Amino acid sequence: LSMFIDKSKLDIEIVQVKNLKHRPINKILPNIYIKFYMFSNSACVEKQKTTSKQRTITPSYQEHIRFDTDYKGKILHVTIW
């Protein structure tokens, strides 16, 4: 991940996810995507997500996500699904 600040906006570049664990129980590789939540006082004020990458544990994205909400005083929560 790379983060860029443009005035009060936050721009995130997602390149690649590495070293994800694959559960040996599952024979099919998972579809991976990343969700981003911006919280203010425990309330989600904005959320974004990447496209889903099919059947891989090392997805490459080359995507940009831009939060239009002012990032100051907020918490960014990132999850990989």
Side-chain angles (χ1 to χ4, degrees):
L1 293 175
S2 297
M3 296 177 150
F4 305 98
I5 298 170
D6 179 25
K7 298 183 183 176
S8 63
K9 310 301 182 203
L10 182 63
D11 189 32
I12 301 173
E13 178 184 18
I14 304 97
V15 179
Q16 183 178 29
V17 178
K18 296 181 182 179
N19 300 325
L20 291 175
K21 301 288 185 205
H22 178 252
R23 298 169 73 190
I25 301 169
N26 299 337
K27 295 181 181 179
I28 299 172
L29 291 174
N31 299 332
I32 304 291
Y33 62 94
I34 304 171
K35 291 179 99 174
F36 298 86
Y37 300 93
M38 187 171 290
F39 286 96
S40 176
N41 298 325
S42 72
C44 181
V45 292
E46 189 173 352
K47 59 185 172 181
Q48 302 280 339
K49 80 174 200 175
T50 63
T51 58
S52 179
K53 299 300 178 182
Q54 306 296 314
R55 312 259 188 268
T56 183
I57 56 172
T58 57
S60 293
Y61 288 96
Q62 303 299 330
E63 292 184 31
H64 287 271
I65 290 181
R66 183 173 178 92
F67 284 93
D68 294 323
T69 304
D70 185 4
Y71 68 91
K72 295 176 184 172
K74 309 284 190 306
I75 296 172
L76 181 65
H77 182 83
V78 181
T79 57
I80 300 174
W81 291 80

